[in-house]
Amino acid sequence: MSALNMALKSLGRRKLRTALTVSGIVVGIAMTLVFLSLVAGMDIQAAQMVRAIGGADITVVNATRMTRQQFQQGIINTLDESLVTIIEGVNGVYDTSLQLSLRMFVNSTGVPINGIDPSTYSVVTGGLNVINGSSLSEGSEKEVVLGKIFADSLNATIGGNVIVSSAQQDGESYEIIGIYETGIALQDRGCYITLDEVQNMSNKENLITAILVKCVDPNEVPTIRETIASLLPDARIVSPSAAIQQVSNLLNTVRMFLFSIGLIALMAGGFGVINTMITSISERTREIGTLKAIGAKDQQILKIFMSEALLLGLIGGGVGVSIGIIFSILFPMFSGGLSGLTIPGIGGRLPGGGSGFPGGVSISPAILPSNILLCFSLGIVVGVLAGFYPAWRAARMRPVEALRHV
Amino acid sequence: MSETIVQTNKLVKKYRRGKIEIYALNGVDFEALRGEIVGVVGPSGSGKTTLLNMIGGLDKPTGGTVVVDGRDLTKLDAGELADFRLKKIGFIFQFYNLLPIYTALENVEVPLSFAKVPKEEREERAFELLRLVGLETRVDHKPDELSGGEQQRVAIARALANRPSIILADEPTGDLDSESAISLMKLIRKLKEQHNQTFINVTHDPLVVQECTKVYTIRDGRIQLNEKT
Ligand SMILES: Nc1ncnc2c1ncn2[C@@H]1O[C@H](COP(=O)(O)OP(=O)(O)OP(=O)(O)O)[C@@H](O)[C@H]1O
Ligand SMILES: [Mg+2]
């Protein structure tokens, strides 16, 4: 006999209408949740890339264009190590680290090998994300850290050995001391040994492919980047942190845009609720008059109809969230044929860690509990907001007029 | 001599329809004593329903006073009037006006729940009332599963729920066949005898008039007490 019980029975009496009204909210909620999950998925991908790229504020690489032939011959754009002194002279540069990334062979398989300087690598980039074992240290010699995917394909275990060879030199045995994971497939198919070892094996003494730079103040990155660019006109200078900032700004814009679309759909659902409630209230005018004659106060009538609106919102939110979750899970199947979405600006353009990224990164939506909660509450909010005006009208009806209504 | 329970004094109710003013009630003096069954007759549009609405606190008069059970209704605000209707008045309508979503029992429980009677007591009392009107076997039926006479009995049980001192009925037999009408009036007489409640019946039905202790006639908003016949 409570207002909620009364509301439940009234809604149950007009099942089709209730279902249609609820479906308006459901569409809005489901859409909003799918959109938010998509953007959350992109966020996670972006975060993985940040980890993959490493924390270097600025990466300097050779900008000379290569022909396809050169590329296929394995010719690599290198820089001279000595350039680093120019960069270290720039105001605001905290530290630098050198890296030489090449294609070499591990157990006769061609893989990207990154040579790094363990004494500075961690300071400049924050280090590798080692999930098993340990990373390279200053004294490392004939030690290798494998990417997870590569390690899995070799069935490699910590303490085991692999043979590393190059076109120029015969293989040598390296001990596996650690396994890292970035979440980016191409990165996780590579491995890391020391810079000296890569330079020796490839006969590229004093040559590098990238200078990684860490700045004292992250806010100064754009300025320092400009300075380096003017000092080294032939170098390509990438600042992942700036790019990441851009991507994150872009994602925020995308999020706001999609969220707005979701909200507009929800608003349409809200108008559906208003419409249904006004119809139902006008149909039940005599009922309302009767309740008032019996002794119901305005506030009690308001409660009855607000409960109906709340229920519509609750059901709409619940069903909408469920459908949103289902669609988010199924999304990769729909988008599979399109090879997924890509994050503009990141795919293949950030060679910070040495190797490039694949051109397209497929997005799988991430269903976050916070988004589920948000969408569910939105359903309730829409129901309550939309229900308020009709319920208020019902509560304000004058009993005599309401009873005269036929 | 029984005490006066309803008294109106020079009661006026004016409606405005566009530019035209209609005097639905035009100086009505009406009196009912506790335990009376009062009849109000008159042609359509004469102001019968309007008078009931004034006595029941459903609407405010334009002029004059209405005193019911010692309370001057013109001095009560909307919330107090709702409370007054809940505790002191029972309404019975021509078309029963039961809530279609509820069973007979639940319909009788509605005014009890507005009065915040706890659930168990509510059910017990609603069942008692349905037994009183002879519907104890019909408690779980919805209105559309009941005959007109049965629905009107449920409506009476609902009107009695909060033990009001006055029951206002607008054409209570208007939609009933004569057999149901007779048994309804028998029920009303029994209730009056048991609980000394006051009934005011607006009616066209001679069967109802016959049961009344006194009868008023309204014509064009003016009232007149019929000579005893
Ligand atoms: N809310 C209103 N607005 C305008 N006019 C009204 C209103 N209520 C009643 N009236 C008018 O007041 C007059 C009396 O109406 P009332 O309903 O009291 O008549 P009644 O005697 O009950 O008639 P009936 O036997 O047909 O029910 C009528 O002319 C009616 O049209
Ligand atoms: Mg009438």
Side-chain angles (χ1 to χ4, degrees):
Chain A
M1 201 60 46
S2 64
L4 207 63
N5 170 287
M6 210 177 234
L8 202 62
K9 289 201 166 154
S10 302
L11 291 178
R13 198 163 161 245
R14 299 180 175 82
K15 290 194 180 65
L16 182 64
R17 183 191 294 173
T18 302
L20 288 174
T21 310
V22 163
S23 67
I25 301 183
V26 166
V27 169
I29 296 287
M31 243 168 96
T32 308
L33 185 58
V34 170
F35 287 161
L36 288 178
S37 303
L38 263 179
V39 179
M42 293 184 202
D43 262 343
I44 288 172
Q45 288 272 340
Q48 282 177 342
M49 288 188 178
V50 171
R51 215 169 55 197
I53 288 161
D57 292 328
I58 296 172
T59 302
V60 180
V61 294
N62 190 333
T64 316
R65 279 185 159 274
M66 276 193 298
T67 62
R68 193 185 171 83
Q69 242 178 350
Q70 285 174 310
F71 187 80
Q72 278 164 349
Q73 283 162 8
I75 291 173
I76 293 194
N77 274 335
T78 51
L79 298 166
D80 199 90
E81 262 184 25
S82 60
L83 291 177
V84 75
T85 54
I86 300 175
I87 293 170
E88 278 178 337
V90 174
N91 232 339
V93 169
Y94 177 73
D95 206 349
T96 56
S97 188
L98 305 177
Q99 179 166 336
L100 176 59
S101 300
L102 301 167
R103 212 171 166 74
M104 298 205 299
F105 302 92
V106 173
N107 288 358
S108 309
T109 313
V111 290
I113 293 202
N114 306 290
I116 54 168
D117 175 0
S119 66
T120 52
Y121 189 77
S122 283
V123 177
V124 173
T125 68
L128 288 171
N129 181 40
V130 174
I131 54 168
N132 205 347
S134 57
S135 191
L136 296 170
S137 58
E138 248 176 275
S140 280
E141 219 175 289
K142 299 280 179 284
E143 290 178 339
V144 62
V145 182
L146 299 178
K148 179 158 192 314
I149 295 176
F150 185 44
D152 287 347
S153 74
L154 291 177
N155 265 332
T157 49
I158 306 294
N161 286 288
V162 288
I163 305 295
V164 179
S165 60
S166 71
Q168 294 81 12
Q169 297 225 357
D170 289 344
E172 286 185 73
S173 178
Y174 279 70
E175 184 188 348
I176 302 164
I177 61 161
I179 292 166
Y180 69 90
E181 183 175 23
T182 63
I184 303 295
L186 208 81
Q187 282 280 59
D188 292 347
R189 288 200 184 96
C191 62
Y192 284 78
I193 57 178
T194 64
L195 176 63
D196 290 342
E197 286 164 337
V198 176
Q199 285 176 335
N200 280 334
M201 291 189 79
S202 58
N203 295 337
K204 289 191 178 3
E205 304 294 335
N206 302 324
L207 292 178
I208 49 171
T209 49
I211 304 171
L212 312 173
V213 183
K214 181 157 185 75
C215 302
V216 177
D217 180 356
N219 294 322
E220 282 179 24
V221 169
T223 332
I224 293 169
R225 189 193 145 134
E226 291 302 307
T227 314
I228 297 173
S230 65
L231 292 172
L232 303 174
D234 287 337
R236 185 147 70 95
I237 296 144
V238 187
S239 42
S241 56
I244 284 155
Q245 190 56 48
Q246 272 180 357
V247 170
S248 130
N249 288 346
L250 184 80
L251 281 182
N252 274 335
T253 312
V254 171
R255 190 195 333 267
M256 287 323 292
F257 175 70
L258 292 180
F259 193 59
S260 312
I261 293 179
L263 283 188
I264 289 169
L266 254 181
M267 246 170 75
F271 281 112
V273 172
I274 296 179
N275 182 50
T276 302
M277 296 234 352
I278 286 181
T279 311
S280 127
I281 281 164
S282 101
E283 283 171 0
R284 285 154 68 189
T285 300
R286 265 167 73 88
E287 226 171 86
I288 295 164
T290 307
L291 289 174
K292 287 196 154 192
I294 287 173
K297 294 198 173 63
D298 289 7
Q299 181 204 335
Q300 285 165 318
I301 303 284
L302 188 77
K303 225 167 102 183
I304 291 167
F305 286 96
M306 284 308 286
S307 306
E308 280 192 26
L310 180 71
L311 276 176
L312 288 174
L314 271 172
I315 303 170
V319 177
V321 163
S322 316
I323 292 184
I325 290 173
I326 293 170
F327 271 80
S328 298
I329 293 169
L330 296 182
F331 183 85
M333 293 185 198
F334 300 138
S335 67
L338 307 166
S339 80
L341 296 182
T342 59
I343 299 180
I346 274 203
R349 283 193 45 213
L350 294 176
S355 40
F357 290 103
V361 181
S362 70
I363 303 292
S364 43
I367 302 157
L368 306 181
S370 62
N371 283 339
I372 292 178
L373 203 69
L374 173 71
C375 289
F376 186 63
S377 331
L378 269 178
I380 296 172
V381 167
V382 166
V384 168
L385 282 184
F388 190 78
Y389 171 67
W392 178 79
R393 266 191 22 172
R396 288 285 309 272
M397 269 182 196
R398 299 190 42 220
V400 175
E401 314 285 339
L403 282 169
R404 278 167 59 89
H405 195 269
V406 277
Chain B
M1 237 322 248
S2 211
E3 57 171 322
T4 300
I5 192 151
V6 178
Q7 177 134 46
T8 77
N9 194 1
K10 298 196 172 54
L11 196 61
V12 176
K13 181 65 186 181
K14 190 170 74 181
Y15 285 114
R16 192 182 289 278
R17 219 181 267 148
K19 284 204 170 124
I20 312 160
E21 289 184 341
I22 297 160
Y23 282 86
L25 297 176
N26 198 354
V28 168
D29 295 326
F30 171 99
E31 188 183 35
L33 306 180
R34 189 181 292 281
E36 271 191 308
I37 300 181
V38 183
V40 180
V41 298
S44 179
S46 55
K48 305 182 295 291
T49 299
T50 306
L51 176 62
L52 274 197
N53 289 343
M54 296 299 139
I55 295 170
L58 270 181
D59 206 355
K60 290 231 168 193
T62 316
T65 54
V66 198
V67 179
V68 180
D69 210 6
R71 238 169 299 198
D72 184 350
L73 299 192
T74 55
K75 297 210 163 62
L76 302 185
D77 66 27
E80 289 166 330
L81 281 176
D83 219 42
F84 163 79
R85 294 195 296 267
L86 183 63
K87 307 266 168 63
K88 295 288 172 193
I89 305 286
F91 277 98
I92 298 169
F93 307 92
Q94 179 174 354
F95 298 107
Y96 333 122
N97 289 16
L98 298 176
L99 299 186
I101 50 170
Y102 284 148
T103 62
L105 189 78
E106 289 168 330
N107 262 288
V108 180
E109 280 185 61
V110 169
L112 293 168
S113 84
F114 286 146
K116 308 210 157 55
V117 176
K119 175 132 186 74
E120 270 183 27
E121 191 186 336
R122 212 161 67 199
E123 275 178 6
E124 229 166 83
R125 236 156 93 182
F127 186 78
E128 250 339 283
L129 286 159
L130 285 172
R131 199 214 305 277
L132 188 68
V133 299
L135 286 178
E136 65 270 28
T137 59
R138 291 284 205 250
V139 287
D140 289 328
H141 289 247
K142 297 238 173 107
D144 57 10
E145 300 159 355
L146 297 170
S147 75
E150 288 168 334
Q151 288 189 57
Q152 198 60 302
R153 282 158 183 271
V154 176
I156 289 179
R158 178 177 70 179
L160 296 171
N162 284 313
R163 305 191 181 106
S165 32
I166 301 144
I167 286 113
L168 305 175
D170 200 343
E171 308 271 12
T173 60
D175 200 47
L176 301 181
D177 57 62
S178 56
E179 206 173 310
S180 307
I182 289 170
S183 73
L184 190 79
M185 286 320 290
K186 261 193 205 149
L187 173 65
I188 286 180
R189 197 171 44 193
K190 180 178 94 180
L191 291 169
K192 179 220 126 166
E193 275 157 14
Q194 282 176 357
H195 300 97
N196 205 28
Q197 271 152 335
T198 308
F199 284 82
I200 301 174
N201 300 311
V202 163
T203 189
H204 287 111
D205 189 346
L207 278 168
V208 178
V209 173
Q210 198 183 308
E211 295 288 337
C212 292
T213 47
K214 76 179 176 204
V215 177
Y216 283 97
T217 303
I218 300 193
R219 219 174 281 278
D220 291 334
R222 292 181 191 275
I223 201 165
Q224 197 182 1
L225 186 59
N226 290 10
E227 295 301 322
K228 275 256 163 71
T229 45

